[in-house]
């Protein structure tokens, strides 16, 4: 795997997206990295595991004609700080809220993929006055159904072993330092229908972001907070208009996971896609987002 200079990577990547710039802000004693561009109503994009803001690079240029797009790397992700704690989705949502306050943005639409979807959901649940619309990409917020995930393969689809593995403290970062790309490549190959949708260059970008022990520890912290996340969401309702966009497997999950929490729900299935819908089917994903927000 060819090494990428971590100090320059964001500046080099953002050059590939005309109209976007890279910035940092310190909120809640944590420095967050974000990419911003475009004009119009604000739209926040939150990435997931095991990726960075770059996971939105295919759809960001399609949205800037109508929206001010802000792709935020959550605490523990990419070029953002990696503190020892604070990885509950409620706390991470409060980071996003504080960042928007510093940017002078009172209310925004927010979209998230994977872990970012859980944070976006928590943002809408705990900061409804700051939320205009909510978009979830292929992942719901953790709830008590998480405790029903099988410990062993059942033969009924992919076994999510990494959810349990990421609960283990200290060991994963020792095993995977500078080798995390092995996990990432396996996940991409298993969870993409079109294996080329996340290119070899994209994979290098993500591998670099998760190569260090600190990065692995911090990202595993997102998973280790699930029990707290489940408690934080009990009794919450999402009152703002909400759209779930997912491949066939995620669409089926959304169909029973979201209605108990969401009052105004629209679901869109991206056929021929796996988990990484915004990279595998960027045009369809972008069109769904634009239609929903407009």
């Amino acid at each position: 795997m060819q090494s990428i200079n971590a100090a320059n990577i964001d500046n080099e990547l953002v050059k590939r997206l005309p109209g976007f710039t890279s910035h940092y802000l310190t909120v809640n004693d944590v420095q967050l990295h974000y990419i911003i561009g475009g004009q119009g109503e604000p739209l926040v994009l939150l990435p997931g595991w095991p990726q960075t803001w770059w996971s939105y690079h295919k759809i960001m240029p399609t949205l800037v004609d109508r929206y001010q797009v802000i792709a935020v790397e959550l605490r523990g992700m990419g070029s953002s700080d990696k503190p020892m704690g604070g990885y509950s989705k409620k706390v991470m949502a409060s980071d996003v809220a504080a960042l928007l306050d510093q940017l002078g943005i009172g209310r925004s639409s927010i979209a998230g993929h994977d872990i970012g979807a859980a944070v976006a959901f928590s943002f809408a649940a705990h900061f409804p006055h700051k939320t205009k619309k909510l978009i979830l990409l292929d992942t719901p917020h953790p709830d008590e159904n998480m405790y029903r995930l099988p410990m062993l393969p059942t033969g009924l689809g992919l076994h999510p072993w990494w959810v349990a593995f990421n609960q283990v403290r200290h060991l994963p970062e020792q095993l995977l330092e500078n080798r995390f790309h092995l996990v990432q490549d396996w996940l991409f190959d298993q969870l993409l229908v079109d294996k080329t949708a996340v290119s070899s260059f994209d994979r290098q970008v993500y591998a670099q972001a998760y190569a260090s022990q600190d990065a692995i520890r911090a990202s595993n912290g997102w998973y280790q907070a699930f029990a707290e996340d489940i408690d934080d969401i009990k009794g919450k309702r999402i009152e703002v208009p909400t759209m779930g966009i997912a491949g066939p497997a995620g669409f089926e999950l959304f169909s029973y996971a979201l209605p108990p929490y969401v009052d105004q729900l629209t679901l869109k299935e991206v056929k021929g896609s796996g988990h990484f819908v915004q990279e595998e089917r960027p045009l369809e994903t972008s069109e769904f987002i634009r239609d929903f927000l407009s």
Side-chain angles (χ1 to χ4, degrees):
M1 180 186 65
Q2 181 181 355
S3 177
I4 299 175
N5 189 325
N8 298 323
I9 186 171
D10 291 313
N11 288 332
E12 291 302 315
L13 290 175
V14 81
K15 290 177 183 177
R16 297 169 178 248
L17 301 180
F20 285 93
T21 51
S22 175
H23 303 271
Y24 295 86
L25 273 177
T26 298
V27 300
N28 299 338
D29 296 321
V30 174
Q31 181 174 261
L32 296 184
H33 174 242
Y34 66 99
I35 305 294
I36 189 169
Q39 302 289 331
E41 294 187 2
L43 169 62
V44 178
L45 304 177
L46 304 181
W49 182 87
Q51 298 182 286
T52 67
W53 74 268
W54 184 246
S55 67
Y56 289 106
H57 75 277
K58 292 181 181 180
I59 70 170
M60 289 165 68
T62 71
L63 299 169
V64 291
D65 62 327
R66 193 177 297 177
Y67 304 101
Q68 182 184 44
V69 179
I70 309 160
V72 182
E73 291 190 315
L74 303 163
R75 67 164 65 200
M77 178 182 287
S79 296
S80 291
D81 281 351
K82 298 167 179 61
M84 296 305 297
Y87 293 112
S88 75
K89 308 311 161 290
K90 183 178 179 180
V91 169
M92 294 166 78
S94 76
D95 291 343
V96 177
L99 184 143
L100 294 177
D101 285 344
Q102 286 206 35
L103 293 177
I105 296 172
R107 195 162 176 251
S108 67
S109 294
I110 187 165
H113 176 252
D114 193 82
I115 291 293
V119 178
F121 186 101
S122 187
F123 184 93
H126 294 102
F127 301 95
H129 59 290
K130 293 181 176 292
T131 312
K132 184 175 182 181
K133 292 186 177 181
L134 170 64
I135 300 168
L136 305 175
L137 301 177
D138 211 73
T139 310
H141 189 282
D143 65 10
E144 289 185 334
N145 287 311
M146 292 290 298
Y147 296 126
R148 299 184 178 93
L149 286 176
M151 291 287 291
L152 297 172
T154 64
L156 299 175
L158 187 63
H159 174 234
W161 57 268
W162 58 90
V163 176
F165 180 72
N166 290 353
Q167 299 293 325
V168 180
R169 298 180 185 271
H170 309 305
L171 181 61
E173 54 265 42
Q174 295 179 55
L175 293 175
L176 295 174
E177 182 181 16
N178 294 320
R179 295 168 57 85
F180 196 81
H181 64 281
L182 298 173
V183 173
Q184 288 178 319
D185 283 340
W186 186 91
L187 286 165
F188 290 136
D189 289 341
Q190 296 297 317
L191 295 175
L192 288 165
V193 174
D194 176 2
K195 315 303 181 191
T196 67
V198 179
S199 71
S200 59
F201 176 81
D202 300 334
R203 294 181 187 215
Q204 289 182 50
V205 170
Y206 302 137
Q208 181 72 27
Y210 289 81
S212 71
Q213 288 203 20
D214 268 354
I216 299 166
R217 169 194 56 77
S219 62
N220 284 358
W222 306 332
Y223 287 80
Q224 291 160 11
F226 277 174
E228 185 176 351
D229 299 333
I230 291 167
D231 285 339
D232 284 340
I233 212 65
K234 287 180 179 177
K236 291 293 184 181
R237 297 289 303 177
I238 303 298
E239 298 179 354
V240 300
T242 300
M243 180 170 66
I245 305 173
F251 182 85
E252 182 179 353
L253 175 60
F254 274 167
S255 67
Y256 66 81
L258 294 182
Y261 299 96
V262 179
D263 289 340
Q264 303 179 61
L265 178 61
T266 301
L267 295 180
K268 296 292 184 180
E269 182 175 0
V270 185
K271 296 188 182 296
S273 177
H275 176 60
F276 303 95
V277 290
Q278 73 272 30
E279 289 168 286
E280 197 162 7
R281 291 290 185 268
L283 292 180
E284 293 95 322
T285 301
S286 178
E287 288 174 3
F288 285 145
I289 291 173
R290 290 167 66 92
D291 290 346
F292 178 67
L293 295 183
S294 63

